[in-house]
Amino acid sequence: MIQGVSRMGQFTFTEEAQEYIKEKGGVAHVVIYRRSSMCCGRVALPPTINIGVPKNRQDYEIDRVNDIEFYYPKDQCFPHPWEINLHRTLGFSSLKVEGWKVF
């Protein structure tokens, strides 16, 4: 595993995730969804890791983690370590976050 520590928290990338990000340009960012109210209560969707620079770059901090530019929201606290890994289903690849908790 490849580990990078940011000012706000700790992010760990698996080898597969790092190679995938590098193949796609070497830049990734975190998208955190706000809690939503639904008929059955409040729901918190898991954060996602998207490839590329975020549209609202001014709202993000940036860290370089082993040749990857990694953007994460300035207004967000990351109290728990996150592991970012590659998930493959039926030939499709996506990045997944392990270790996130509703905060």
Side-chain angles (χ1 to χ4, degrees):
M1 263 187 226
I2 296 165
Q3 189 169 345
V5 178
S6 73
R7 193 171 63 92
M8 296 285 289
Q10 182 175 335
F11 306 100
T12 304
F13 295 80
T14 62
E15 288 284 338
E16 285 184 315
Q18 181 186 21
E19 290 304 315
Y20 179 76
I21 295 168
K22 283 182 179 181
E23 287 172 11
K24 300 291 183 181
V27 180
H29 66 277
V30 176
V31 176
I32 297 179
Y33 302 98
R34 305 285 182 223
R35 288 188 207 168
S36 299
S37 295
M38 298 185 144
C39 61
C40 56
R42 293 181 61 82
V43 176
L45 298 172
T48 59
I49 307 297
N50 290 350
I51 298 295
V53 177
K55 290 180 185 176
N56 51 340
R57 188 186 294 188
Q58 70 278 3
D59 296 334
Y60 282 77
E61 296 281 345
I62 183 172
D63 277 330
R64 192 163 211 42
V65 181
N66 296 339
D67 297 326
I68 294 172
E69 287 185 12
F70 188 64
Y71 290 81
Y72 55 92
K74 288 180 181 179
D75 65 345
Q76 190 66 53
C77 179
F78 297 92
H80 307 285
W82 283 11
E83 179 182 275
I84 300 163
N85 56 45
L86 186 64
H87 180 74
R88 290 191 176 119
T89 304
L90 300 173
F92 294 99
S93 298
S94 62
L95 296 167
K96 299 290 181 186
V97 176
E98 299 291 333
W100 75 279
K101 298 186 192 263
V102 177
F103 28 86

